[in-house]
Amino acid sequence: MKFTIKKVPVSEKEKRDRAEFFAEDTGQYVDIEAFVKQDIYDEFIDYKCLNCKYEEELEADIVFELFDPSFEEYPLLTCPKCGKDKFVPLDIYNAKTKE
Ligand SMILES: [Zn+2]
């Protein structure tokens, strides 16, 4: 089953902050102006609970860290609200509740 990954462009200010933070944190030289000119996106997945309908937007990086596509069709998570393993991507929720 497919689910949507939303790509949200990172603002210029946020890019500048990240580059400055990286430079400070690692002590490496970073060409901040060149970095700011790049198109950088953050990726998010909308999640919804099949049990209690709680919704949350999660960072795709975090979701994929917990996801093993050889075992699961989609990343199934534990709902932070009701604690059941019914927290699924919104597209999966819509597909399952339409039947
Ligand atoms: Zn829930």
Side-chain angles (χ1 to χ4, degrees):
M1 271 200 238
K2 289 211 171 196
F3 51 92
T4 311
I5 298 170
K6 296 191 295 186
K7 282 188 151 199
V8 181
V10 176
S11 72
E12 187 174 328
K13 185 188 176 301
E14 176 65 20
K15 283 189 276 194
R16 198 173 290 276
D17 286 351
R18 286 186 196 181
E20 282 170 4
F21 178 80
F22 180 82
E24 245 173 63
D25 199 41
T26 62
Q28 288 180 42
Y29 171 76
V30 176
D31 186 341
I32 291 174
E33 294 315 312
F35 184 81
V36 166
K37 283 199 187 87
Q38 294 174 48
D39 287 326
I40 297 172
Y41 298 90
D42 278 337
E43 294 181 336
F44 296 96
I45 303 170
D46 282 324
Y47 259 74
K48 191 160 180 174
C49 179
L50 286 162
N51 182 53
C52 71
K53 296 188 169 57
Y54 173 74
E55 280 182 68
E56 193 174 309
E57 185 184 72
L58 300 178
E59 278 183 48
D61 284 356
I62 293 169
V63 172
F64 285 114
E65 252 176 50
L66 305 164
F67 178 46
D68 186 343
S70 54
F71 286 107
E72 304 164 300
E73 259 186 293
Y74 51 85
L76 177 69
L77 302 179
T78 304
C79 173
K81 194 154 185 215
C82 70
K84 298 231 193 281
D85 293 330
K86 299 265 186 187
F87 209 38
V88 298
L90 187 59
D91 297 302
I92 308 294
Y93 178 93
N94 289 337
K96 282 191 182 289
T97 51
K98 214 168 48 179
E99 286 160 12

